[in-house]
Amino acid sequence: MSLEWEQITHITKVDPAKPLPSDLGVLEGTDLVIVGGSDGVTEENTIDAIESIANTYPSVPVFQEPYSAAHVSRETIETADFVAVPAVFNGDRTHFVGKHTALFTEIARKPEDLLGASLPVVGNFIESKGVDAVADLTETLVGEGYVVQHLDSAAASVSGVDTTYTPEQVAGAALATETFYGFPIFYIEYSGTYGGTDDVEAAARYLEDTQLVYGGGIDNQEKATAVLEAGADAIVVGDCFHDDPAQFRATIPK
Amino acid sequence: MSLEWEQITHITKVDPAKPLPSDLGVLEGTDLVIVGGSDGVTEENTIDAIESIANTYPSVPVFQEPYSAAHVSRETIETADFVAVPAVFNGDRTHFVGKHTALFTEIARKPEDLLGASLPVVGNFIESKGVDAVADLTETLVGEGYVVQHLDSAAASVSGVDTTYTPEQVAGAALATETFYGFPIFYIEYSGTYGGTDDVEAAARYLEDTQLVYGGGIDNQEKATAVLEAGADAIVVGDCFHDDPAQFRATIPK
């Protein structure tokens, strides 16, 4: 599946540890679904959530966004369209470079664990046929440059975030994403609280090829519109999807 | 100046704190020059070194590779063709993300310091005309994914490197550079010692769009050939350029 970003304005974040709404028809009009969370998330409930959504809306792309390597397996990679890999600018070293290098080292060394195939290996390195398989796998991994702006959140504690960024620093991280690190997505995460539009405006000045995504506290049409008009390419709506279907529906642009 | 990487096999690293050889004709046949170092490097001696080389070989591209922001100024940026910005995989957080975010924050907030122009500013952010100037500036910055493999070196101590990588980890960092971080260069740095070909072979399997550069201890044709045949796109020769012109000449492929 290839992504057509210009079509993606409304993203739903689904926590696989929470029950799905009884009527998945509430998703009508959302453009992308991200499945991920921290507490209680397993490989099994991740697959269940992705499959339920894909069965109901087969044309809506579904990302898995794992918080830990234990949530990723051959089955989750096969079930999801893409696997989102956050790199947290204001997190600790592990969450910007450490765990990624470990992940890519594992893929380069022993890809069959993730690919489910028996691949020809020479020493610790796979042969050329395996290199092609590794290239296919890495194409499903989508980097996200993250800034986590709510210290009292699971996202912050999991990523070692102990300080938020000023709008100037958000702009710098956005510019670094666009021109230096090259992640296709820059994600401003207020995780459960509404952060207003300052950070989005600051980042939007420097993003052209990068998709600017905002998540946090969007629970009505006014906030959705304000963030999109401030320059976000897409908004992420999470909590109210599980808790309040009517409120969730109000966030989907008409 | 645009870079034609397929033409670049031999790179000379010049320490601007050391005297240049009396006859710069020794550079005949090198494809790229990188000017940078730690001890005793200043903005002034950097500019002097770049200008001497550019006057003698105007068609050879020259990179400035600053170890510190104090080495970079509007003049160095104007004098060099590109500014190389290392991101050190096995360094500390500062040297993979911290100082880069600070640099891009500074560029986004107050680019006139680097651009030498008075740019229209609104609040802390520059207006659209300034955004174009920022884009021009960031195009001169070239990211390098670095692995520093010699602990007893200035490169290691400056970057907070306290552990070297196994060939498997070098392969992982190479794969991460190619598919995730998107730096155009992956640089294996043995800094003053010869590291053999294992790391180069490991990295080369996973690099297609990325240029694989090896530096460290190359002081004869045999080592130069071995590293290139192991898969490096280019070798970097430094110390003997200053110390032993005949030895330096022997490293340039015929």
Side-chain angles (χ1 to χ4, degrees), chain B residues 132-191:
Chain B
D132 292 342
V134 168
D136 288 346
L137 174 57
T138 57
E139 272 178 26
T140 72
L141 304 180
V142 177
E144 299 173 314
Y146 247 77
V147 176
V148 178
Q149 294 286 62
H150 183 199
L151 294 182
D152 186 19
S153 68
S157 67
V158 164
S159 312
V161 172
D162 57 15
T163 179
T164 58
Y165 271 0
T166 64
E168 290 79 8
Q169 290 173 305
V170 171
L175 181 61
T177 298
E178 173 84 10
T179 67
F180 192 71
Y181 296 107
F183 307 127
I185 296 169
F186 183 71
Y187 195 133
I188 300 170
E189 172 63 283
Y190 271 87
S191 196

Short mmCIF file of all heavy atoms in Angstrom, two decimals, chain B residues 132-191:
data_model
loop_
_atom_site.label_atom_id
_atom_site.label_comp_id
_atom_site.label_asym_id
_atom_site.label_seq_id
_atom_site.Cartn_x
_atom_site.Cartn_y
_atom_site.Cartn_z
N ASP B 132 13.02 31.10 2.80
CA ASP B 132 13.77 30.72 1.60
C ASP B 132 15.27 30.76 1.86
O ASP B 132 16.02 29.89 1.42
CB ASP B 132 13.44 31.66 0.43
CG ASP B 132 12.01 31.49 -0.05
OD1 ASP B 132 11.40 30.45 0.27
OD2 ASP B 132 11.50 32.40 -0.72
N ALA B 133 15.71 31.80 2.56
CA ALA B 133 17.14 31.91 2.87
C ALA B 133 17.58 30.76 3.76
O ALA B 133 18.67 30.20 3.58
CB ALA B 133 17.41 33.26 3.56
N VAL B 134 16.73 30.37 4.70
CA VAL B 134 17.04 29.22 5.56
C VAL B 134 17.17 27.96 4.71
O VAL B 134 18.07 27.14 4.91
CB VAL B 134 15.96 29.05 6.65
CG1 VAL B 134 16.11 27.70 7.34
CG2 VAL B 134 16.07 30.18 7.68
N ALA B 135 16.27 27.79 3.75
CA ALA B 135 16.33 26.60 2.89
C ALA B 135 17.64 26.57 2.11
O ALA B 135 18.27 25.51 1.98
CB ALA B 135 15.13 26.58 1.94
N ASP B 136 18.08 27.73 1.60
CA ASP B 136 19.37 27.78 0.90
C ASP B 136 20.50 27.35 1.83
O ASP B 136 21.40 26.61 1.45
CB ASP B 136 19.66 29.20 0.39
CG ASP B 136 18.77 29.58 -0.77
OD1 ASP B 136 18.14 28.67 -1.36
OD2 ASP B 136 18.70 30.78 -1.09
N LEU B 137 20.45 27.85 3.06
CA LEU B 137 21.50 27.53 4.02
C LEU B 137 21.52 26.03 4.34
O LEU B 137 22.58 25.39 4.34
CB LEU B 137 21.29 28.35 5.30
CG LEU B 137 22.20 28.04 6.47
CD1 LEU B 137 23.66 28.21 6.10
CD2 LEU B 137 21.86 28.96 7.66
N THR B 138 20.35 25.47 4.60
CA THR B 138 20.33 24.06 5.00
C THR B 138 20.76 23.15 3.86
O THR B 138 21.26 22.06 4.11
CB THR B 138 18.93 23.64 5.52
OG1 THR B 138 17.96 23.90 4.51
CG2 THR B 138 18.57 24.38 6.79
N GLU B 139 20.63 23.62 2.62
CA GLU B 139 21.12 22.80 1.49
C GLU B 139 22.63 22.66 1.49
O GLU B 139 23.16 21.73 0.90
CB GLU B 139 20.67 23.40 0.16
CG GLU B 139 19.30 22.88 -0.23
CD GLU B 139 18.82 23.49 -1.54
OE1 GLU B 139 19.66 23.89 -2.35
OE2 GLU B 139 17.59 23.57 -1.70
N THR B 140 23.34 23.57 2.15
CA THR B 140 24.79 23.44 2.22
C THR B 140 25.23 22.50 3.35
O THR B 140 26.40 22.17 3.45
CB THR B 140 25.50 24.80 2.40
OG1 THR B 140 25.27 25.25 3.73
CG2 THR B 140 24.99 25.83 1.42
N LEU B 141 24.28 22.11 4.23
CA LEU B 141 24.62 21.22 5.34
C LEU B 141 24.44 19.77 4.91
O LEU B 141 23.37 19.38 4.45
CB LEU B 141 23.73 21.50 6.55
CG LEU B 141 23.71 22.94 7.07
CD1 LEU B 141 22.77 23.04 8.28
CD2 LEU B 141 25.10 23.40 7.46
N VAL B 142 25.48 18.97 5.04
CA VAL B 142 25.44 17.58 4.60
C VAL B 142 25.59 16.68 5.83
O VAL B 142 26.62 16.72 6.52
CB VAL B 142 26.59 17.29 3.61
CG1 VAL B 142 26.60 15.82 3.22
CG2 VAL B 142 26.46 18.18 2.38
N GLY B 143 24.56 15.88 6.12
CA GLY B 143 24.60 14.98 7.27
C GLY B 143 25.50 13.78 7.02
O GLY B 143 25.51 13.21 5.93
N GLU B 144 26.26 13.41 8.04
CA GLU B 144 27.11 12.22 7.98
C GLU B 144 26.78 11.33 9.17
O GLU B 144 26.95 11.75 10.32
CB GLU B 144 28.60 12.61 8.09
CG GLU B 144 29.13 13.52 7.02
CD GLU B 144 30.57 13.98 7.31
OE1 GLU B 144 30.85 14.37 8.45
OE2 GLU B 144 31.38 13.93 6.37
N GLY B 145 26.31 10.11 8.92
CA GLY B 145 26.17 9.14 10.00
C GLY B 145 27.55 8.58 10.31
O GLY B 145 28.19 7.98 9.45
N TYR B 146 28.02 8.81 11.54
CA TYR B 146 29.40 8.46 11.92
C TYR B 146 29.41 7.29 12.89
O TYR B 146 28.58 7.21 13.79
CB TYR B 146 30.01 9.63 12.68
CG TYR B 146 31.15 10.35 12.00
CD1 TYR B 146 30.90 11.25 10.97
CD2 TYR B 146 32.47 10.18 12.40
CE1 TYR B 146 31.95 11.94 10.35
CE2 TYR B 146 33.52 10.88 11.80
CZ TYR B 146 33.24 11.76 10.78
OH TYR B 146 34.26 12.46 10.18
N VAL B 147 30.39 6.41 12.73
CA VAL B 147 30.74 5.47 13.80
C VAL B 147 32.23 5.68 14.07
O VAL B 147 33.04 5.57 13.14
CB VAL B 147 30.46 4.01 13.39
CG1 VAL B 147 30.91 3.06 14.49
CG2 VAL B 147 28.96 3.81 13.11
N VAL B 148 32.56 6.01 15.32
CA VAL B 148 33.96 6.27 15.68
C VAL B 148 34.50 5.01 16.36
O VAL B 148 34.00 4.59 17.40
CB VAL B 148 34.07 7.49 16.61
CG1 VAL B 148 35.52 7.71 17.03
CG2 VAL B 148 33.53 8.75 15.92
N GLN B 149 35.52 4.40 15.76
CA GLN B 149 35.98 3.08 16.18
C GLN B 149 37.33 3.09 16.87
O GLN B 149 37.88 2.02 17.14
CB GLN B 149 36.04 2.15 14.95
CG GLN B 149 34.66 1.85 14.33
CD GLN B 149 33.85 0.88 15.18
OE1 GLN B 149 33.51 1.17 16.32
NE2 GLN B 149 33.56 -0.29 14.64
N HIS B 150 37.88 4.25 17.18
CA HIS B 150 39.16 4.33 17.89
C HIS B 150 38.94 5.16 19.14
O HIS B 150 38.79 6.38 19.08
CB HIS B 150 40.22 4.95 16.97
CG HIS B 150 41.59 5.00 17.58
ND1 HIS B 150 42.58 5.82 17.12
CD2 HIS B 150 42.13 4.34 18.63
CE1 HIS B 150 43.66 5.65 17.85
NE2 HIS B 150 43.41 4.76 18.77
N LEU B 151 38.89 4.46 20.31
CA LEU B 151 38.50 5.16 21.54
C LEU B 151 39.55 6.19 21.96
O LEU B 151 39.19 7.22 22.54
CB LEU B 151 38.30 4.15 22.67
CG LEU B 151 37.12 3.18 22.48
CD1 LEU B 151 36.98 2.26 23.69
CD2 LEU B 151 35.81 3.94 22.26
N ASP B 152 40.81 5.91 21.66
CA ASP B 152 41.87 6.81 22.08
C ASP B 152 42.14 7.85 20.98
O ASP B 152 43.24 7.92 20.42
CB ASP B 152 43.13 5.99 22.39
CG ASP B 152 44.24 6.86 22.97
OD1 ASP B 152 43.92 7.95 23.46
OD2 ASP B 152 45.41 6.43 22.91
N SER B 153 41.11 8.62 20.65
CA SER B 153 41.24 9.62 19.59
C SER B 153 40.48 10.88 19.99
O SER B 153 39.55 10.81 20.82
CB SER B 153 40.68 9.09 18.26
OG SER B 153 39.26 8.93 18.35
N ALA B 154 40.87 11.99 19.40
CA ALA B 154 40.15 13.24 19.68
C ALA B 154 38.69 13.12 19.24
O ALA B 154 37.78 13.59 19.93
CB ALA B 154 40.82 14.41 18.96
N ALA B 155 38.45 12.45 18.11
CA ALA B 155 37.08 12.30 17.61
C ALA B 155 36.21 11.60 18.65
O ALA B 155 35.05 11.98 18.87
CB ALA B 155 37.07 11.52 16.29
N ALA B 156 36.75 10.56 19.30
CA ALA B 156 35.98 9.82 20.31
C ALA B 156 35.73 10.68 21.54
O ALA B 156 34.59 10.75 22.05
CB ALA B 156 36.70 8.53 20.69
N SER B 157 36.77 11.35 22.03
CA SER B 157 36.56 12.09 23.28
C SER B 157 35.66 13.30 23.05
O SER B 157 34.82 13.61 23.89
CB SER B 157 37.89 12.46 23.94
OG SER B 157 38.57 13.39 23.16
N VAL B 158 35.77 13.94 21.90
CA VAL B 158 34.92 15.10 21.61
C VAL B 158 33.44 14.69 21.49
O VAL B 158 32.54 15.44 21.86
CB VAL B 158 35.39 15.80 20.31
CG1 VAL B 158 34.33 16.74 19.78
CG2 VAL B 158 36.68 16.54 20.55
N SER B 159 33.18 13.47 21.00
CA SER B 159 31.80 13.04 20.70
C SER B 159 31.18 12.18 21.79
O SER B 159 30.06 11.69 21.61
CB SER B 159 31.77 12.24 19.40
OG SER B 159 32.47 12.88 18.38
N GLY B 160 31.90 11.97 22.89
CA GLY B 160 31.34 11.15 23.95
C GLY B 160 31.24 9.68 23.58
O GLY B 160 30.33 8.97 24.02
N VAL B 161 32.17 9.20 22.79
CA VAL B 161 32.18 7.79 22.40
C VAL B 161 32.96 7.00 23.45
O VAL B 161 34.14 7.28 23.68
CB VAL B 161 32.87 7.60 21.02
CG1 VAL B 161 33.05 6.12 20.71
CG2 VAL B 161 32.05 8.29 19.93
N ASP B 162 32.31 6.04 24.11
CA ASP B 162 33.04 5.22 25.07
C ASP B 162 32.96 3.73 24.76
O ASP B 162 33.42 2.90 25.54
CB ASP B 162 32.59 5.51 26.51
CG ASP B 162 31.10 5.30 26.69
OD1 ASP B 162 30.48 4.68 25.82
OD2 ASP B 162 30.57 5.78 27.71
N THR B 163 32.39 3.40 23.61
CA THR B 163 32.37 2.00 23.21
C THR B 163 32.40 1.93 21.69
O THR B 163 31.76 2.75 21.02
CB THR B 163 31.14 1.27 23.78
OG1 THR B 163 31.14 -0.08 23.34
CG2 THR B 163 29.85 1.92 23.31
N THR B 164 33.16 0.98 21.17
CA THR B 164 33.17 0.79 19.72
C THR B 164 32.06 -0.19 19.34
O THR B 164 31.49 -0.87 20.19
CB THR B 164 34.53 0.26 19.25
OG1 THR B 164 34.79 -0.97 19.93
CG2 THR B 164 35.64 1.25 19.54
N TYR B 165 31.77 -0.25 18.05
CA TYR B 165 30.73 -1.14 17.54
C TYR B 165 31.35 -2.42 16.99
O TYR B 165 32.43 -2.39 16.40
CB TYR B 165 29.95 -0.44 16.42
CG TYR B 165 28.77 0.39 16.85
CD1 TYR B 165 28.39 0.52 18.18
CD2 TYR B 165 27.99 1.05 15.89
CE1 TYR B 165 27.30 1.29 18.55
CE2 TYR B 165 26.89 1.82 16.25
CZ TYR B 165 26.55 1.93 17.58
OH TYR B 165 25.45 2.69 17.94
N THR B 166 30.64 -3.52 17.13
CA THR B 166 30.98 -4.74 16.42
C THR B 166 30.62 -4.55 14.94
O THR B 166 29.82 -3.66 14.61
CB THR B 166 30.17 -5.93 16.95
OG1 THR B 166 28.78 -5.68 16.68
CG2 THR B 166 30.38 -6.13 18.46
N PRO B 167 31.17 -5.39 14.05
CA PRO B 167 30.74 -5.29 12.65
C PRO B 167 29.22 -5.42 12.49
O PRO B 167 28.62 -4.75 11.65
CB PRO B 167 31.49 -6.44 11.97
CG PRO B 167 32.72 -6.63 12.80
CD PRO B 167 32.29 -6.36 14.21
N GLU B 168 28.57 -6.24 13.33
CA GLU B 168 27.10 -6.38 13.25
C GLU B 168 26.42 -5.05 13.57
O GLU B 168 25.44 -4.67 12.94
CB GLU B 168 26.60 -7.44 14.25
CG GLU B 168 26.97 -8.87 13.89
CD GLU B 168 28.40 -9.23 14.25
OE1 GLU B 168 29.10 -8.42 14.93
OE2 GLU B 168 28.86 -10.30 13.82
N GLN B 169 26.95 -4.35 14.58
CA GLN B 169 26.35 -3.05 14.92
C GLN B 169 26.65 -2.00 13.86
O GLN B 169 25.82 -1.13 13.59
CB GLN B 169 26.86 -2.58 16.29
CG GLN B 169 26.31 -3.42 17.44
CD GLN B 169 26.96 -3.04 18.76
OE1 GLN B 169 28.18 -3.05 18.90
NE2 GLN B 169 26.15 -2.68 19.74
N VAL B 170 27.84 -2.08 13.26
CA VAL B 170 28.15 -1.17 12.15
C VAL B 170 27.15 -1.39 11.02
O VAL B 170 26.63 -0.44 10.42
CB VAL B 170 29.60 -1.38 11.66
CG1 VAL B 170 29.85 -0.58 10.37
CG2 VAL B 170 30.59 -0.96 12.74
N ALA B 171 26.85 -2.66 10.74
CA ALA B 171 25.86 -2.97 9.70
C ALA B 171 24.49 -2.39 10.06
O ALA B 171 23.78 -1.83 9.21
CB ALA B 171 25.75 -4.48 9.50
N GLY B 172 24.11 -2.50 11.33
CA GLY B 172 22.83 -1.95 11.78
C GLY B 172 22.79 -0.43 11.64
O GLY B 172 21.78 0.14 11.18
N ALA B 173 23.88 0.23 12.01
CA ALA B 173 23.93 1.69 11.87
C ALA B 173 23.90 2.09 10.39
O ALA B 173 23.27 3.09 10.02
CB ALA B 173 25.19 2.24 12.55
N ALA B 174 24.54 1.29 9.55
CA ALA B 174 24.50 1.56 8.10
C ALA B 174 23.08 1.42 7.56
O ALA B 174 22.58 2.28 6.83
CB ALA B 174 25.45 0.61 7.37
N LEU B 175 22.42 0.34 7.95
CA LEU B 175 21.04 0.11 7.49
C LEU B 175 20.11 1.22 8.00
O LEU B 175 19.23 1.69 7.28
CB LEU B 175 20.57 -1.27 7.97
CG LEU B 175 19.16 -1.71 7.57
CD1 LEU B 175 19.01 -1.79 6.05
CD2 LEU B 175 18.83 -3.07 8.20
N ALA B 176 20.32 1.64 9.24
CA ALA B 176 19.52 2.74 9.79
C ALA B 176 19.78 4.03 9.02
O ALA B 176 18.85 4.81 8.76
CB ALA B 176 19.83 2.94 11.28
N THR B 177 21.03 4.27 8.62
CA THR B 177 21.34 5.47 7.84
C THR B 177 20.66 5.42 6.48
O THR B 177 20.04 6.39 6.04
CB THR B 177 22.88 5.60 7.65
OG1 THR B 177 23.47 5.74 8.94
CG2 THR B 177 23.24 6.79 6.79
N GLU B 178 20.75 4.29 5.83
CA GLU B 178 20.18 4.13 4.48
C GLU B 178 18.66 4.26 4.48
O GLU B 178 18.09 4.87 3.58
CB GLU B 178 20.58 2.75 3.93
CG GLU B 178 19.94 2.34 2.62
CD GLU B 178 20.64 2.87 1.38
OE1 GLU B 178 21.76 3.41 1.49
OE2 GLU B 178 20.07 2.73 0.28
N THR B 179 18.00 3.67 5.48
CA THR B 179 16.54 3.54 5.38
C THR B 179 15.78 4.41 6.37
O THR B 179 14.57 4.59 6.21
CB THR B 179 16.10 2.08 5.61
OG1 THR B 179 16.38 1.71 6.97
CG2 THR B 179 16.83 1.14 4.68
N PHE B 180 16.45 4.93 7.40
CA PHE B 180 15.69 5.60 8.46
C PHE B 180 16.10 7.06 8.62
O PHE B 180 15.28 7.96 8.53
CB PHE B 180 15.87 4.82 9.77
CG PHE B 180 14.94 5.22 10.88
CD1 PHE B 180 13.59 4.91 10.81
CD2 PHE B 180 15.40 5.91 11.99
CE1 PHE B 180 12.71 5.28 11.84
CE2 PHE B 180 14.55 6.28 13.01
CZ PHE B 180 13.20 5.96 12.93
N TYR B 181 17.41 7.31 8.84
CA TYR B 181 17.85 8.69 9.06
C TYR B 181 18.14 9.42 7.76
O TYR B 181 18.06 10.64 7.70
CB TYR B 181 19.09 8.72 9.97
CG TYR B 181 18.78 8.20 11.36
CD1 TYR B 181 19.24 6.95 11.76
CD2 TYR B 181 18.00 8.93 12.24
CE1 TYR B 181 18.96 6.46 13.03
CE2 TYR B 181 17.71 8.45 13.50
CZ TYR B 181 18.19 7.21 13.89
OH TYR B 181 17.89 6.72 15.13
N GLY B 182 18.51 8.69 6.72
CA GLY B 182 18.65 9.34 5.43
C GLY B 182 19.83 10.29 5.27
O GLY B 182 19.80 11.16 4.40
N PHE B 183 20.88 10.16 6.09
CA PHE B 183 22.08 10.95 5.83
C PHE B 183 22.69 10.47 4.51
O PHE B 183 22.73 9.27 4.25
CB PHE B 183 23.12 10.77 6.94
CG PHE B 183 22.59 11.01 8.33
CD1 PHE B 183 22.74 10.06 9.32
CD2 PHE B 183 21.94 12.19 8.65
CE1 PHE B 183 22.27 10.26 10.61
CE2 PHE B 183 21.45 12.41 9.93
CZ PHE B 183 21.62 11.44 10.92
N PRO B 184 23.22 11.38 3.69
CA PRO B 184 23.79 10.94 2.40
C PRO B 184 25.13 10.21 2.54
O PRO B 184 25.58 9.59 1.58
CB PRO B 184 23.96 12.25 1.63
CG PRO B 184 23.94 13.33 2.64
CD PRO B 184 23.11 12.85 3.79
N ILE B 185 25.77 10.30 3.73
CA ILE B 185 27.09 9.70 3.93
C ILE B 185 27.08 8.83 5.19
O ILE B 185 26.51 9.23 6.22
CB ILE B 185 28.15 10.82 4.10
CG1 ILE B 185 28.26 11.66 2.82
CG2 ILE B 185 29.52 10.24 4.49
CD1 ILE B 185 29.07 12.93 2.98
N PHE B 186 27.69 7.64 5.10
CA PHE B 186 27.95 6.81 6.28
C PHE B 186 29.46 6.69 6.42
O PHE B 186 30.13 6.21 5.50
CB PHE B 186 27.30 5.44 6.15
CG PHE B 186 27.46 4.58 7.37
CD1 PHE B 186 26.77 4.89 8.54
CD2 PHE B 186 28.31 3.48 7.38
CE1 PHE B 186 26.92 4.12 9.69
CE2 PHE B 186 28.46 2.70 8.52
CZ PHE B 186 27.77 3.02 9.68
N TYR B 187 29.98 7.10 7.57
CA TYR B 187 31.42 7.32 7.73
C TYR B 187 31.94 6.42 8.85
O TYR B 187 31.55 6.58 10.00
CB TYR B 187 31.64 8.79 8.07
CG TYR B 187 33.04 9.35 7.94
CD1 TYR B 187 33.25 10.56 7.29
CD2 TYR B 187 34.15 8.70 8.47
CE1 TYR B 187 34.52 11.11 7.17
CE2 TYR B 187 35.42 9.24 8.35
CZ TYR B 187 35.60 10.44 7.71
OH TYR B 187 36.86 10.99 7.59
N ILE B 188 32.82 5.50 8.50
CA ILE B 188 33.49 4.65 9.50
C ILE B 188 34.84 5.28 9.78
O ILE B 188 35.70 5.35 8.90
CB ILE B 188 33.65 3.21 8.97
CG1 ILE B 188 32.28 2.60 8.67
CG2 ILE B 188 34.42 2.35 9.99
CD1 ILE B 188 32.35 1.27 7.92
N GLU B 189 35.04 5.72 11.03
CA GLU B 189 36.20 6.55 11.38
C GLU B 189 37.11 5.80 12.35
O GLU B 189 36.75 5.59 13.51
CB GLU B 189 35.69 7.86 12.01
CG GLU B 189 36.76 8.76 12.60
CD GLU B 189 37.76 9.28 11.58
OE1 GLU B 189 38.64 8.49 11.19
OE2 GLU B 189 37.63 10.45 11.18
N TYR B 190 38.26 5.36 11.87
CA TYR B 190 39.26 4.73 12.74
C TYR B 190 40.32 5.72 13.20
O TYR B 190 41.23 5.35 13.94
CB TYR B 190 39.87 3.50 12.06
CG TYR B 190 39.10 2.23 12.35
CD1 TYR B 190 38.02 1.85 11.57
CD2 TYR B 190 39.44 1.44 13.45
CE1 TYR B 190 37.30 0.71 11.86
CE2 TYR B 190 38.73 0.29 13.74
CZ TYR B 190 37.66 -0.08 12.95
OH TYR B 190 36.95 -1.21 13.24
N SER B 191 40.24 6.93 12.73
CA SER B 191 41.01 8.07 13.25
C SER B 191 42.44 7.74 13.67
O SER B 191 42.74 7.61 14.86
CB SER B 191 40.25 8.64 14.46
OG SER B 191 40.74 9.91 14.76
#
